[in-house]
Amino acid sequence: MALHKEPKVITDKDEMRKWSRTMRSQGKIIALVPTMGYLHQGHLSLVKEAHKHAHVIALSIYVNPSQFSPNEDLSTYPSDFHGDIQKLMSFPSAVDVVFHPYNLYDYGNGSKENFDDGVVSCIENSGLGHETWVRVQKLEKGLCGLSRPVFFRGVATIVTKLFNIVEPDVAVFGKKDYQQWRVIQRMVRDLDFSIKVIGSEVVRDSDGLAMSSRNVHLSPEEREKALSINKSLLKAKSAAEDGQVDCEKLRNLVIQCIAEAGGKIDYAEIVDQESLEKVETIKNPVVFCIAALFGKVRLIDNMEIKL
């Protein structure tokens, strides 16, 4: 496959902002694809979607420490920057610039935060440290917010920072992280960002497993068991389309399927697609959201159901 030229790599905030403003002065529409790297076809599908809405594409690669709790996998989150650049060069849809900052919480005044253990360790006890956080108070509470209490605070804050640095017209997020997509949509609406937020459909491997950078940590046996997530969601969707609209019965169907395969359920909830509030009976468009552990790997997935 023919390679594109290597995308411009920018690590400095001011340089990134200058690039975007130069593009805009030329009448170009800018799309941002935020990622944490270790790119796969799911990420590349976001780039493809971005090309439908913009003239130039910026892709960020930044493992955001503020969305990890101390007991989570910040230190083991997979990384392969050189491999990521090679994938972007070989993908048919080109990326114009990769924004790859070292630490977006280092303000050059001695206030560099220590996130090595996944803890925002000196937020409260340093007058120079980072102390401004963005919260989407209602949407962040359920689903992943229950077991990951600092996650959406970290996500909303880093995305706000990226929006202010890159200044895109469009931003593309994967709908696999359904709650994240809705949180960002709501944040953009509430804070009057002049940015169109696009949700791109879940991308799956040929066996049905939703693509995730964390899949690399699954053993072959765990991966086989994890296929129960998509299989059970498909069963639930089919049952709903056949007239089973009792959410408790649909939830039990999925929970039993995943448990029998050896998965440990974090949550399995059917919620309204917009408000993310739990529903008891399917009347309007809903999304069935799942988080489950296979071994030590926490996987999320979802399926929209519109009768």
Side-chain angles (χ1 to χ4, degrees):
M1 183 181 294
L3 294 179
H4 296 292
K5 68 176 183 178
E6 186 169 338
K8 180 180 179 68
V9 177
I10 296 177
T11 59
D12 179 73
K13 291 186 285 188
D14 291 335
E15 185 183 348
M16 183 67 245
R17 193 176 285 115
K18 182 179 178 181
W19 180 91
S20 293
R21 292 180 179 180
T22 300
M23 292 299 107
R24 184 164 290 108
S25 72
Q26 298 171 6
K28 305 274 181 69
I29 296 172
I30 303 162
L32 171 64
V33 178
T35 82
M36 295 210 301
Y38 210 72
L39 303 181
H40 50 67
Q41 285 298 319
H43 294 113
L44 299 179
S45 75
L46 304 182
V47 174
K48 184 177 180 180
E49 180 66 28
H51 272 278
K52 300 176 184 177
H53 306 276
H55 301 116
V56 290
I57 313 298
L59 181 140
S60 62
I61 295 179
Y62 182 65
V63 179
N64 174 38
S66 70
Q67 68 194 55
F68 291 82
S69 291
N71 59 337
E72 293 178 349
D73 57 347
L74 174 62
S75 62
T76 60
Y77 196 86
S79 175
D80 179 14
F81 184 72
H82 176 72
D84 288 344
I85 296 297
Q86 294 303 308
K87 288 173 185 174
L88 291 174
M89 290 172 64
S90 63
F91 189 60
S93 300
V95 165
D96 297 279
V97 65
V98 172
F99 181 46
H100 184 48
Y102 173 66
N103 183 1
L104 286 177
Y105 299 89
D106 182 358
Y107 302 107
N109 57 3
S111 64
K112 184 175 176 181
E113 307 298 352
N114 175 18
F115 289 110
D116 292 342
D117 58 357
V119 184
V120 186
S121 57
C122 55
I123 295 303
E124 282 79 26
N125 60 20
S126 169
L128 296 175
H130 182 94
E131 53 182 312
T132 305
W133 300 99
V134 181
R135 305 295 295 258
V136 182
Q137 290 181 306
K138 193 171 182 182
L139 284 183
E140 73 172 34
K141 284 184 176 176
L143 303 175
C144 284
L146 290 174
S147 60
R148 305 189 71 188
V150 304
F151 178 71
F152 289 111
R153 181 186 77 165
V155 166
T157 301
I158 198 63
V159 171
T160 296
K161 288 166 74 70
L162 289 170
F163 284 175
N164 284 330
I165 295 166
V166 180
E167 298 181 346
D169 303 288
V170 177
V172 184
F173 292 83
K175 287 166 74 172
K176 181 181 78 72
D177 301 283
Y178 201 92
Q179 186 178 14
Q180 172 179 276
W181 169 54
R182 289 303 195 192
V183 162
I184 298 304
Q185 273 193 327
R186 186 66 55 85
M187 179 190 80
V188 163
R189 185 201 74 176
D190 290 355
L191 298 183
D192 292 306
F193 281 100
S194 183
I195 298 171
K196 183 178 182 181
V197 177
I198 306 292
S200 191
E201 297 302 323
V202 179
V203 177
R204 301 182 182 279
D205 278 320
S206 57
D207 57 10
L209 187 66
M211 289 190 177
S212 168
S213 299
R214 289 184 170 93
N215 289 354
V216 68
H217 293 312
L218 292 167
S219 69
E221 182 183 5
E222 288 166 348
R223 184 187 172 92
E224 186 66 28
K225 292 177 177 178
L227 300 182
S228 61
I229 300 176
N230 184 47
K231 289 177 181 177
S232 64
L233 284 172
L234 287 170
K235 286 181 182 178
K237 183 177 182 180
S238 178
E241 291 170 344
D242 289 341
Q244 178 55 272
V245 294
D246 184 318
C247 292
E248 188 64 24
K249 291 181 179 178
L250 294 172
R251 286 181 68 249
N252 289 338
L253 170 71
V254 167
I255 290 169
Q256 181 179 352
C257 183
I258 293 174
E260 287 178 351
K264 181 181 177 184
I265 294 285
D266 181 356
Y267 63 77
E269 299 291 352
I270 300 174
V271 299
D272 180 87
Q273 287 186 13
E274 295 281 344
S275 69
L276 302 187
E277 293 180 352
K278 295 179 187 179
V279 298
E280 295 180 359
T281 304
I282 300 176
K283 298 175 183 176
N284 299 309
V286 298
V287 57
F288 200 146
C289 296
I290 301 285
L293 283 116
F294 289 85
K296 294 182 178 180
V297 184
R298 182 179 181 274
L299 301 175
I300 62 172
D301 202 346
N302 66 77
M303 194 160 288
E304 292 179 321
I305 300 173
K306 186 175 182 180
L307 303 182

